[in-house]
Amino acid sequence: MDFWNAFASLFSNFGNLTWQMVVMWGIGALLIYLAIAKKMEPSLLLPMGFGAILVNLPLSGAITQGDTVGPISALFEAGMSNELFPLLLFIGIGAMIDFGPLLEKPWLMLFGAAAQFGIFFTLFLAGFFFDLKDAASIAVIGAADGPTAIFVANVLHSLYLGAIMVAAYSYMALVPIVQPPVIKLLTTRKERRIRMPYQKGSVSQLTKILFPIVVTIIAGLVAPASVALVGFLMFGNLLRECGVLNTLSETAQNILANLITIVLGLTVAGQMTADKFVRPDTLLILALGLVAFVFDTAGGVLFAKLANLFLPEGKKLNPMIGAAGISAFPMSGRVVNKLGLEEDNQNFLLMYSISVNVSGQIASVIAGGLLLTLLS
C-alpha cells in the first residue's frame, strides 16, 4: 500500500495543472519557434519562451512558492525590481552604437523625435482604460525598446509589468513584419524610389567624446528622471569613443550585453505566469502596444513627407527614413534600407536610416524620461 501511495504521489501534481498554464506553454513554444525557425531576436525570445514554460509548470521551483524562494524570483528582486539589469544592458547598447553618421548630419535627430508620436498618442488612448501610470508604461512599448519599457514600468510601479515586457520585446522582434505594411500604406512608389546620395562628412574624435557627456547633461537638466537611462547609454558610448578602453568596450558589447540579455529574458519570463498573463487586459495591452508601435512608425514617415513640402526638387527626402526613428536598433534601419532596394536596386538608404535609427534610440530614452519626470 505504501508503494502505491508513493507511486501515486509522483503524479499528484497533475491535479494542479490548469488550462491557463497550458496556454502559456503554447505562448512559450511560439516564442521559441520564432527565435529558432524565424531567427527573430533569438537571444531574447529563446530565454523568454523557455522561461515561460519553466514558470508555468504547477508548483514550479523556478519561482517562489510559499517560503521557498525560486531562482527566477530571486533574479527579479536582484536586478529587475531596482531596474539594474535594463540599465546594465544600456551600457552594452551604448558601446555598440556609432553616433558618427548622426553627428555628420545632426538634422536627422528631428526624425527620431517625430517617431515618438505614437508613445504620446497611445498614452492618451490608454488613459481611457488604465490609470495614468499604467497608461504611460504601456505607451512606451511603442518605442520598441525593451529596456526603456521595463525601466519606466518598474519606476511607475505598473501592475502589468509582465505583459508590457513581453509586448515590448515581441514588437522589437517583429519590426520586419510590422513596419513594411505601415510604410507602404503611407508612401507612394515614387516616394519610396527617391534616392538620397550620401556624402560622408568628418567628425573629430573630440566631438565624439564630448557628445555623450553633453547629451547626458542636457537630458539631466530637462528630464532628471531620464539621467539613469540616458547616462548608462552614453557611458557605454563613451567607453567606445574614448580610445583608451577598447577592452572594456568590447566586453560591454559582447560579454556583458550577452550575459544580461540571457538573464533579462529569463527574468521577464518570471512575470509571465498564467495568473498574471491569461487575462483580457493583457490582450488589450498587446493591442495598445501595437497601436503605439504603428503610430511611432507613422509619425516619422509623415514628418518626412511634411518636410518634403518645403524642400525643392532634387532635395526631397525619402520618407521611409522617418520610420527608422523608433528605437529598435539596428533592425528598423535595415528594414528601411531593404525596402529602398526592393523599389530600386541602386537606392541605398542604409547610412541615413541607421543614423535616424540611432537618433530614435536617444529620443525614446528621453521620451521615457519625460514621462517619468511628469508622472513620478
Side-chain angles (χ1 to χ4, degrees):
M1 183 63 70
D2 290 339
F3 170 78
W4 288 111
N5 287 337
F7 184 76
S9 69
L10 293 175
F11 301 93
S12 62
N13 199 29
F14 280 82
N16 297 315
L17 184 64
T18 65
W19 68 266
Q20 291 94 337
M21 291 178 179
V22 176
V23 169
M24 293 308 300
W25 295 354
I27 292 174
L30 176 62
L31 294 177
I32 293 172
Y33 169 78
L34 292 175
I36 298 174
K38 300 299 182 182
K39 296 182 174 60
M40 291 184 179
E41 289 297 301
S43 60
L44 282 170
L45 294 192
L46 185 63
M48 283 171 60
F50 187 79
I53 297 172
L54 196 65
V55 303
N56 283 288
L57 294 168
L59 302 179
S60 171
I63 55 177
T64 298
Q65 304 287 348
D67 295 330
T68 304
V69 178
I72 291 182
S73 299
L75 280 173
F76 182 85
E77 292 299 323
M80 291 291 281
S81 60
N82 55 13
E83 300 91 39
L84 179 61
F85 290 161
L87 291 175
L88 289 176
L89 184 57
F90 261 107
I91 295 177
I93 294 172
M96 296 176 194
I97 296 176
D98 179 11
F99 287 113
L102 179 63
L103 292 173
E104 293 174 13
K105 296 174 174 58
W107 54 271
L108 291 172
M109 292 184 187
L110 295 173
F111 296 100
Q116 308 312 308
F117 168 74
I119 293 177
F120 298 97
F121 175 80
T122 306
L123 172 61
F124 169 77
L125 189 61
F128 289 104
F129 306 99
F130 301 93
D131 69 42
L132 194 55
K133 290 189 175 182
D134 284 325
S137 302
I138 293 166
V140 178
I141 295 172
D145 184 350
T148 300
I150 293 171
F151 185 87
V152 172
N154 262 325
V155 172
L156 296 180
H157 304 293
S158 173
L159 300 174
Y160 305 99
L161 180 61
I164 289 169
M165 290 190 292
V166 172
Y169 280 112
S170 297
Y171 290 135
M172 281 177 63
L174 294 174
V175 163
I177 294 175
V178 178
Q179 277 205 304
V182 179
I183 294 170
K184 290 180 179 180
L185 180 66
L186 295 174
T187 58
T188 65
R189 187 167 187 268
K190 180 180 178 181
E191 288 174 326
R192 294 194 294 273
R193 290 172 63 89
I194 294 175
R195 293 187 180 183
M196 296 178 63
Y198 186 82
Q199 296 179 339
K200 184 172 176 58
S202 61
V203 179
S204 68
Q205 186 69 19
L206 179 61
T207 300
K208 291 184 177 182
I209 292 172
L210 290 176
F211 179 73
I213 299 171
V214 171
V215 168
T216 302
I217 292 172
I218 293 174
L221 292 173
V222 174
S226 71
V227 168
L229 282 170
V230 177
F232 276 62
L233 180 73
M234 291 300 157
F235 173 67
N237 187 249
L238 186 59
L239 289 178
R240 175 193 179 97
E241 300 297 352
C242 69
V244 295
L245 293 172
N246 292 336
T247 303
L248 286 183
S249 175
E250 291 171 5
T251 300
Q253 293 179 50
N254 298 295
I255 298 173
L256 177 65
N258 290 334
L259 179 60
I260 295 298
T261 298
I262 292 172
V263 174
L264 195 62
L266 288 171
T267 311
V268 167
Q271 300 299 302
M272 294 174 65
T273 53
D275 59 320
K276 296 179 181 178
F277 208 84
V278 185
R279 305 187 322 193
D281 48 14
T282 299
L283 295 177
L284 180 57
I285 289 169
L286 293 173
L288 288 168
L290 180 60
V291 169
F293 186 62
V294 167
F295 275 84
D296 267 1
T297 301
V301 173
L302 293 175
F303 180 77
K305 289 170 71 78
L306 177 64
N308 277 346
L309 296 177
F310 304 95
L311 294 174
E313 289 296 330
K315 298 289 185 180
K316 300 289 187 184
L317 305 172
N318 189 311
M320 292 196 298
I321 66 169
I326 65 169
S327 184
F329 175 84
M331 292 88 74
S332 187
R334 291 172 178 168
V335 165
V336 169
N337 183 63
K338 182 180 178 182
L339 288 174
L341 292 173
E342 286 177 359
E343 299 291 345
D344 176 357
N345 61 12
Q346 295 300 312
N347 191 8
F348 298 99
L349 299 172
L350 186 62
M351 292 305 293
Y352 283 101
S353 62
I354 289 294
S355 298
V356 173
N357 208 177
V358 166
S359 73
Q361 184 78 59
I362 300 173
S364 68
V365 170
I366 293 176
L370 284 172
L371 290 178
L372 292 178
T373 300
L374 294 172
L375 299 177
S376 295

PDB file of all heavy atoms in Angstrom, residues 98-125:
ATOM      1  N   ASP A  98      27.511  53.661 -33.018  1.00  0.00           N
ATOM      2  CA  ASP A  98      28.402  54.676 -33.581  1.00  0.00           C
ATOM      3  C   ASP A  98      27.558  55.900 -33.916  1.00  0.00           C
ATOM      4  O   ASP A  98      26.753  55.868 -34.845  1.00  0.00           O
ATOM      5  CB  ASP A  98      29.098  54.134 -34.828  1.00  0.00           C
ATOM      6  CG  ASP A  98      30.014  55.159 -35.477  1.00  0.00           C
ATOM      7  OD1 ASP A  98      30.271  56.221 -34.847  1.00  0.00           O
ATOM      8  OD2 ASP A  98      30.470  54.926 -36.609  1.00  0.00           O
ATOM      9  N   PHE A  99      27.738  56.964 -33.157  1.00  0.00           N
ATOM     10  CA  PHE A  99      26.966  58.181 -33.394  1.00  0.00           C
ATOM     11  C   PHE A  99      27.586  59.065 -34.476  1.00  0.00           C
ATOM     12  O   PHE A  99      27.060  60.139 -34.774  1.00  0.00           O
ATOM     13  CB  PHE A  99      26.835  59.007 -32.098  1.00  0.00           C
ATOM     14  CG  PHE A  99      25.892  58.406 -31.095  1.00  0.00           C
ATOM     15  CD1 PHE A  99      26.369  57.908 -29.894  1.00  0.00           C
ATOM     16  CD2 PHE A  99      24.534  58.345 -31.345  1.00  0.00           C
ATOM     17  CE1 PHE A  99      25.503  57.349 -28.962  1.00  0.00           C
ATOM     18  CE2 PHE A  99      23.663  57.795 -30.429  1.00  0.00           C
ATOM     19  CZ  PHE A  99      24.145  57.295 -29.231  1.00  0.00           C
ATOM     20  N   GLY A 100      28.719  58.613 -35.051  1.00  0.00           N
ATOM     21  CA  GLY A 100      29.413  59.427 -36.051  1.00  0.00           C
ATOM     22  C   GLY A 100      28.536  59.874 -37.208  1.00  0.00           C
ATOM     23  O   GLY A 100      28.462  61.074 -37.507  1.00  0.00           O
ATOM     24  N   PRO A 101      27.842  58.950 -37.915  1.00  0.00           N
ATOM     25  CA  PRO A 101      26.997  59.379 -39.035  1.00  0.00           C
ATOM     26  C   PRO A 101      25.905  60.366 -38.627  1.00  0.00           C
ATOM     27  O   PRO A 101      25.551  61.261 -39.399  1.00  0.00           O
ATOM     28  CB  PRO A 101      26.378  58.051 -39.521  1.00  0.00           C
ATOM     29  CG  PRO A 101      27.355  57.011 -39.103  1.00  0.00           C
ATOM     30  CD  PRO A 101      27.897  57.481 -37.793  1.00  0.00           C
ATOM     31  N   LEU A 102      25.380  60.213 -37.411  1.00  0.00           N
ATOM     32  CA  LEU A 102      24.365  61.142 -36.937  1.00  0.00           C
ATOM     33  C   LEU A 102      24.970  62.515 -36.670  1.00  0.00           C
ATOM     34  O   LEU A 102      24.357  63.545 -36.981  1.00  0.00           O
ATOM     35  CB  LEU A 102      23.716  60.602 -35.653  1.00  0.00           C
ATOM     36  CG  LEU A 102      22.643  61.481 -35.006  1.00  0.00           C
ATOM     37  CD1 LEU A 102      21.458  61.666 -35.937  1.00  0.00           C
ATOM     38  CD2 LEU A 102      22.184  60.872 -33.678  1.00  0.00           C
ATOM     39  N   LEU A 103      26.183  62.531 -36.126  1.00  0.00           N
ATOM     40  CA  LEU A 103      26.844  63.811 -35.859  1.00  0.00           C
ATOM     41  C   LEU A 103      27.231  64.525 -37.148  1.00  0.00           C
ATOM     42  O   LEU A 103      27.347  65.748 -37.176  1.00  0.00           O
ATOM     43  CB  LEU A 103      28.083  63.568 -34.982  1.00  0.00           C
ATOM     44  CG  LEU A 103      27.786  63.101 -33.554  1.00  0.00           C
ATOM     45  CD1 LEU A 103      29.076  62.726 -32.834  1.00  0.00           C
ATOM     46  CD2 LEU A 103      27.045  64.180 -32.788  1.00  0.00           C
ATOM     47  N   GLU A 104      27.434  63.762 -38.222  1.00  0.00           N
ATOM     48  CA  GLU A 104      27.699  64.390 -39.520  1.00  0.00           C
ATOM     49  C   GLU A 104      26.482  65.154 -40.017  1.00  0.00           C
ATOM     50  O   GLU A 104      26.599  66.188 -40.668  1.00  0.00           O
ATOM     51  CB  GLU A 104      28.080  63.324 -40.547  1.00  0.00           C
ATOM     52  CG  GLU A 104      29.408  62.640 -40.276  1.00  0.00           C
ATOM     53  CD  GLU A 104      29.641  61.499 -41.257  1.00  0.00           C
ATOM     54  OE1 GLU A 104      28.905  61.419 -42.276  1.00  0.00           O
ATOM     55  OE2 GLU A 104      30.548  60.684 -41.005  1.00  0.00           O
ATOM     56  N   LYS A 105      25.293  64.620 -39.715  1.00  0.00           N
ATOM     57  CA  LYS A 105      24.043  65.227 -40.175  1.00  0.00           C
ATOM     58  C   LYS A 105      23.073  65.293 -38.988  1.00  0.00           C
ATOM     59  O   LYS A 105      22.110  64.533 -38.910  1.00  0.00           O
ATOM     60  CB  LYS A 105      23.451  64.410 -41.326  1.00  0.00           C
ATOM     61  CG  LYS A 105      24.335  64.408 -42.568  1.00  0.00           C
ATOM     62  CD  LYS A 105      23.801  63.478 -43.627  1.00  0.00           C
ATOM     63  CE  LYS A 105      24.605  63.609 -44.916  1.00  0.00           C
ATOM     64  NZ  LYS A 105      26.043  63.340 -44.729  1.00  0.00           N
ATOM     65  N   PRO A 106      23.315  66.226 -38.066  1.00  0.00           N
ATOM     66  CA  PRO A 106      22.513  66.266 -36.839  1.00  0.00           C
ATOM     67  C   PRO A 106      21.038  66.563 -37.066  1.00  0.00           C
ATOM     68  O   PRO A 106      20.216  66.284 -36.200  1.00  0.00           O
ATOM     69  CB  PRO A 106      23.187  67.374 -36.009  1.00  0.00           C
ATOM     70  CG  PRO A 106      24.006  68.155 -36.973  1.00  0.00           C
ATOM     71  CD  PRO A 106      24.406  67.222 -38.050  1.00  0.00           C
ATOM     72  N   TRP A 107      20.674  67.089 -38.237  1.00  0.00           N
ATOM     73  CA  TRP A 107      19.263  67.366 -38.515  1.00  0.00           C
ATOM     74  C   TRP A 107      18.425  66.085 -38.560  1.00  0.00           C
ATOM     75  O   TRP A 107      17.196  66.115 -38.419  1.00  0.00           O
ATOM     76  CB  TRP A 107      19.109  68.139 -39.830  1.00  0.00           C
ATOM     77  CG  TRP A 107      19.762  67.510 -41.028  1.00  0.00           C
ATOM     78  CD1 TRP A 107      21.039  67.695 -41.449  1.00  0.00           C
ATOM     79  CD2 TRP A 107      19.174  66.581 -41.945  1.00  0.00           C
ATOM     80  NE1 TRP A 107      21.283  66.944 -42.578  1.00  0.00           N
ATOM     81  CE2 TRP A 107      20.159  66.259 -42.911  1.00  0.00           C
ATOM     82  CE3 TRP A 107      17.914  66.004 -42.055  1.00  0.00           C
ATOM     83  CZ2 TRP A 107      19.916  65.376 -43.963  1.00  0.00           C
ATOM     84  CZ3 TRP A 107      17.670  65.120 -43.105  1.00  0.00           C
ATOM     85  CH2 TRP A 107      18.657  64.819 -44.041  1.00  0.00           C
ATOM     86  N   LEU A 108      19.096  64.941 -38.706  1.00  0.00           N
ATOM     87  CA  LEU A 108      18.370  63.672 -38.718  1.00  0.00           C
ATOM     88  C   LEU A 108      17.755  63.346 -37.352  1.00  0.00           C
ATOM     89  O   LEU A 108      16.872  62.501 -37.248  1.00  0.00           O
ATOM     90  CB  LEU A 108      19.298  62.539 -39.149  1.00  0.00           C
ATOM     91  CG  LEU A 108      19.757  62.568 -40.616  1.00  0.00           C
ATOM     92  CD1 LEU A 108      20.819  61.514 -40.871  1.00  0.00           C
ATOM     93  CD2 LEU A 108      18.576  62.373 -41.559  1.00  0.00           C
ATOM     94  N   MET A 109      18.224  64.043 -36.298  1.00  0.00           N
ATOM     95  CA  MET A 109      17.646  63.833 -34.973  1.00  0.00           C
ATOM     96  C   MET A 109      16.171  64.207 -34.934  1.00  0.00           C
ATOM     97  O   MET A 109      15.423  63.697 -34.092  1.00  0.00           O
ATOM     98  CB  MET A 109      18.414  64.656 -33.933  1.00  0.00           C
ATOM     99  CG  MET A 109      19.828  64.197 -33.687  1.00  0.00           C
ATOM    100  SD  MET A 109      20.629  65.146 -32.367  1.00  0.00           S
ATOM    101  CE  MET A 109      22.300  64.537 -32.478  1.00  0.00           C
ATOM    102  N   LEU A 110      15.756  65.098 -35.828  1.00  0.00           N
ATOM    103  CA  LEU A 110      14.343  65.502 -35.866  1.00  0.00           C
ATOM    104  C   LEU A 110      13.434  64.312 -36.145  1.00  0.00           C
ATOM    105  O   LEU A 110      12.315  64.240 -35.631  1.00  0.00           O
ATOM    106  CB  LEU A 110      14.142  66.582 -36.934  1.00  0.00           C
ATOM    107  CG  LEU A 110      14.839  67.924 -36.685  1.00  0.00           C
ATOM    108  CD1 LEU A 110      14.695  68.824 -37.905  1.00  0.00           C
ATOM    109  CD2 LEU A 110      14.264  68.599 -35.444  1.00  0.00           C
ATOM    110  N   PHE A 111      13.914  63.378 -36.950  1.00  0.00           N
ATOM    111  CA  PHE A 111      13.092  62.215 -37.287  1.00  0.00           C
ATOM    112  C   PHE A 111      12.968  61.272 -36.096  1.00  0.00           C
ATOM    113  O   PHE A 111      11.931  60.644 -35.895  1.00  0.00           O
ATOM    114  CB  PHE A 111      13.674  61.488 -38.497  1.00  0.00           C
ATOM    115  CG  PHE A 111      13.660  62.318 -39.743  1.00  0.00           C
ATOM    116  CD1 PHE A 111      14.802  62.973 -40.183  1.00  0.00           C
ATOM    117  CD2 PHE A 111      12.497  62.461 -40.474  1.00  0.00           C
ATOM    118  CE1 PHE A 111      14.779  63.748 -41.320  1.00  0.00           C
ATOM    119  CE2 PHE A 111      12.462  63.236 -41.617  1.00  0.00           C
ATOM    120  CZ  PHE A 111      13.607  63.888 -42.041  1.00  0.00           C
ATOM    121  N   GLY A 112      14.041  61.169 -35.308  1.00  0.00           N
ATOM    122  CA  GLY A 112      13.968  60.372 -34.100  1.00  0.00           C
ATOM    123  C   GLY A 112      12.947  60.936 -33.125  1.00  0.00           C
ATOM    124  O   GLY A 112      12.198  60.197 -32.485  1.00  0.00           O
ATOM    125  N   ALA A 113      12.883  62.269 -33.052  1.00  0.00           N
ATOM    126  CA  ALA A 113      11.905  62.910 -32.172  1.00  0.00           C
ATOM    127  C   ALA A 113      10.487  62.704 -32.700  1.00  0.00           C
ATOM    128  O   ALA A 113       9.561  62.389 -31.942  1.00  0.00           O
ATOM    129  CB  ALA A 113      12.219  64.391 -32.044  1.00  0.00           C
ATOM    130  N   ALA A 114      10.310  62.866 -34.013  1.00  0.00           N
ATOM    131  CA  ALA A 114       8.971  62.740 -34.604  1.00  0.00           C
ATOM    132  C   ALA A 114       8.425  61.330 -34.448  1.00  0.00           C
ATOM    133  O   ALA A 114       7.212  61.139 -34.303  1.00  0.00           O
ATOM    134  CB  ALA A 114       9.020  63.116 -36.086  1.00  0.00           C
ATOM    135  N   ALA A 115       9.314  60.348 -34.449  1.00  0.00           N
ATOM    136  CA  ALA A 115       8.876  58.950 -34.378  1.00  0.00           C
ATOM    137  C   ALA A 115       8.451  58.530 -32.972  1.00  0.00           C
ATOM    138  O   ALA A 115       8.106  57.372 -32.761  1.00  0.00           O
ATOM    139  CB  ALA A 115       9.985  58.027 -34.880  1.00  0.00           C
ATOM    140  N   GLN A 116       8.460  59.469 -32.030  1.00  0.00           N
ATOM    141  CA  GLN A 116       7.953  59.153 -30.691  1.00  0.00           C
ATOM    142  C   GLN A 116       6.487  59.563 -30.546  1.00  0.00           C
ATOM    143  O   GLN A 116       5.909  59.456 -29.457  1.00  0.00           O
ATOM    144  CB  GLN A 116       8.802  59.866 -29.621  1.00  0.00           C
ATOM    145  CG  GLN A 116      10.299  59.646 -29.732  1.00  0.00           C
ATOM    146  CD  GLN A 116      10.686  58.192 -29.916  1.00  0.00           C
ATOM    147  OE1 GLN A 116      10.266  57.324 -29.162  1.00  0.00           O
ATOM    148  NE2 GLN A 116      11.513  57.923 -30.929  1.00  0.00           N
ATOM    149  N   PHE A 117       5.886  60.014 -31.637  1.00  0.00           N
ATOM    150  CA  PHE A 117       4.489  60.451 -31.600  1.00  0.00           C
ATOM    151  C   PHE A 117       3.563  59.358 -31.064  1.00  0.00           C
ATOM    152  O   PHE A 117       2.634  59.612 -30.292  1.00  0.00           O
ATOM    153  CB  PHE A 117       4.041  60.874 -33.007  1.00  0.00           C
ATOM    154  CG  PHE A 117       2.556  61.070 -33.130  1.00  0.00           C
ATOM    155  CD1 PHE A 117       1.937  62.173 -32.577  1.00  0.00           C
ATOM    156  CD2 PHE A 117       1.766  60.128 -33.795  1.00  0.00           C
ATOM    157  CE1 PHE A 117       0.564  62.353 -32.681  1.00  0.00           C
ATOM    158  CE2 PHE A 117       0.394  60.297 -33.904  1.00  0.00           C
ATOM    159  CZ  PHE A 117      -0.206  61.413 -33.344  1.00  0.00           C
ATOM    160  N   GLY A 118       3.832  58.113 -31.465  1.00  0.00           N
ATOM    161  CA  GLY A 118       2.973  57.005 -31.051  1.00  0.00           C
ATOM    162  C   GLY A 118       2.910  56.826 -29.551  1.00  0.00           C
ATOM    163  O   GLY A 118       1.880  56.387 -29.012  1.00  0.00           O
ATOM    164  N   ILE A 119       4.013  57.140 -28.853  1.00  0.00           N
ATOM    165  CA  ILE A 119       4.032  56.999 -27.396  1.00  0.00           C
ATOM    166  C   ILE A 119       2.979  57.912 -26.766  1.00  0.00           C
ATOM    167  O   ILE A 119       2.178  57.483 -25.923  1.00  0.00           O
ATOM    168  CB  ILE A 119       5.438  57.328 -26.844  1.00  0.00           C
ATOM    169  CG1 ILE A 119       6.443  56.273 -27.298  1.00  0.00           C
ATOM    170  CG2 ILE A 119       5.414  57.448 -25.324  1.00  0.00           C
ATOM    171  CD1 ILE A 119       7.875  56.554 -26.872  1.00  0.00           C
ATOM    172  N   PHE A 120       2.953  59.164 -27.198  1.00  0.00           N
ATOM    173  CA  PHE A 120       2.055  60.138 -26.574  1.00  0.00           C
ATOM    174  C   PHE A 120       0.617  59.954 -27.053  1.00  0.00           C
ATOM    175  O   PHE A 120      -0.330  60.186 -26.308  1.00  0.00           O
ATOM    176  CB  PHE A 120       2.587  61.548 -26.833  1.00  0.00           C
ATOM    177  CG  PHE A 120       3.944  61.768 -26.218  1.00  0.00           C
ATOM    178  CD1 PHE A 120       5.097  61.639 -26.974  1.00  0.00           C
ATOM    179  CD2 PHE A 120       4.061  62.054 -24.867  1.00  0.00           C
ATOM    180  CE1 PHE A 120       6.350  61.806 -26.402  1.00  0.00           C
ATOM    181  CE2 PHE A 120       5.308  62.230 -24.277  1.00  0.00           C
ATOM    182  CZ  PHE A 120       6.455  62.098 -25.047  1.00  0.00           C
ATOM    183  N   PHE A 121       0.460  59.495 -28.300  1.00  0.00           N
ATOM    184  CA  PHE A 121      -0.890  59.185 -28.779  1.00  0.00           C
ATOM    185  C   PHE A 121      -1.475  58.018 -27.984  1.00  0.00           C
ATOM    186  O   PHE A 121      -2.640  58.051 -27.568  1.00  0.00           O
ATOM    187  CB  PHE A 121      -0.839  58.840 -30.275  1.00  0.00           C
ATOM    188  CG  PHE A 121      -2.169  58.395 -30.828  1.00  0.00           C
ATOM    189  CD1 PHE A 121      -3.140  59.323 -31.160  1.00  0.00           C
ATOM    190  CD2 PHE A 121      -2.439  57.041 -31.000  1.00  0.00           C
ATOM    191  CE1 PHE A 121      -4.372  58.905 -31.662  1.00  0.00           C
ATOM    192  CE2 PHE A 121      -3.663  56.615 -31.505  1.00  0.00           C
ATOM    193  CZ  PHE A 121      -4.629  57.556 -31.828  1.00  0.00           C
ATOM    194  N   THR A 122      -0.658  57.000 -27.753  1.00  0.00           N
ATOM    195  CA  THR A 122      -1.133  55.826 -27.022  1.00  0.00           C
ATOM    196  C   THR A 122      -1.351  56.138 -25.551  1.00  0.00           C
ATOM    197  O   THR A 122      -2.241  55.560 -24.912  1.00  0.00           O
ATOM    198  CB  THR A 122      -0.143  54.660 -27.182  1.00  0.00           C
ATOM    199  OG1 THR A 122       0.074  54.428 -28.577  1.00  0.00           O
ATOM    200  CG2 THR A 122      -0.674  53.384 -26.544  1.00  0.00           C
ATOM    201  N   LEU A 123      -0.554  57.046 -24.996  1.00  0.00           N
ATOM    202  CA  LEU A 123      -0.784  57.485 -23.617  1.00  0.00           C
ATOM    203  C   LEU A 123      -2.199  58.044 -23.473  1.00  0.00           C
ATOM    204  O   LEU A 123      -2.920  57.722 -22.517  1.00  0.00           O
ATOM    205  CB  LEU A 123       0.248  58.547 -23.231  1.00  0.00           C
ATOM    206  CG  LEU A 123       0.042  59.248 -21.886  1.00  0.00           C
ATOM    207  CD1 LEU A 123       0.096  58.248 -20.736  1.00  0.00           C
ATOM    208  CD2 LEU A 123       1.092  60.343 -21.698  1.00  0.00           C
ATOM    209  N   PHE A 124      -2.593  58.875 -24.435  1.00  0.00           N
ATOM    210  CA  PHE A 124      -3.954  59.437 -24.426  1.00  0.00           C
ATOM    211  C   PHE A 124      -4.997  58.333 -24.571  1.00  0.00           C
ATOM    212  O   PHE A 124      -5.983  58.288 -23.824  1.00  0.00           O
ATOM    213  CB  PHE A 124      -4.080  60.453 -25.568  1.00  0.00           C
ATOM    214  CG  PHE A 124      -5.486  60.905 -25.824  1.00  0.00           C
ATOM    215  CD1 PHE A 124      -6.104  61.821 -24.993  1.00  0.00           C
ATOM    216  CD2 PHE A 124      -6.200  60.409 -26.917  1.00  0.00           C
ATOM    217  CE1 PHE A 124      -7.417  62.237 -25.230  1.00  0.00           C
ATOM    218  CE2 PHE A 124      -7.495  60.813 -27.158  1.00  0.00           C
ATOM    219  CZ  PHE A 124      -8.108  61.729 -26.315  1.00  0.00           C
ATOM    220  N   LEU A 125      -4.758  57.408 -25.506  1.00  0.00           N
ATOM    221  CA  LEU A 125      -5.724  56.351 -25.774  1.00  0.00           C
ATOM    222  C   LEU A 125      -5.820  55.375 -24.591  1.00  0.00           C
ATOM    223  O   LEU A 125      -6.931  55.000 -24.168  1.00  0.00           O
ATOM    224  CB  LEU A 125      -5.306  55.595 -27.039  1.00  0.00           C
ATOM    225  CG  LEU A 125      -6.296  54.573 -27.612  1.00  0.00           C
ATOM    226  CD1 LEU A 125      -7.590  55.259 -28.012  1.00  0.00           C
ATOM    227  CD2 LEU A 125      -5.679  53.863 -28.814  1.00  0.00           C
TER     228      LEU A 125
END
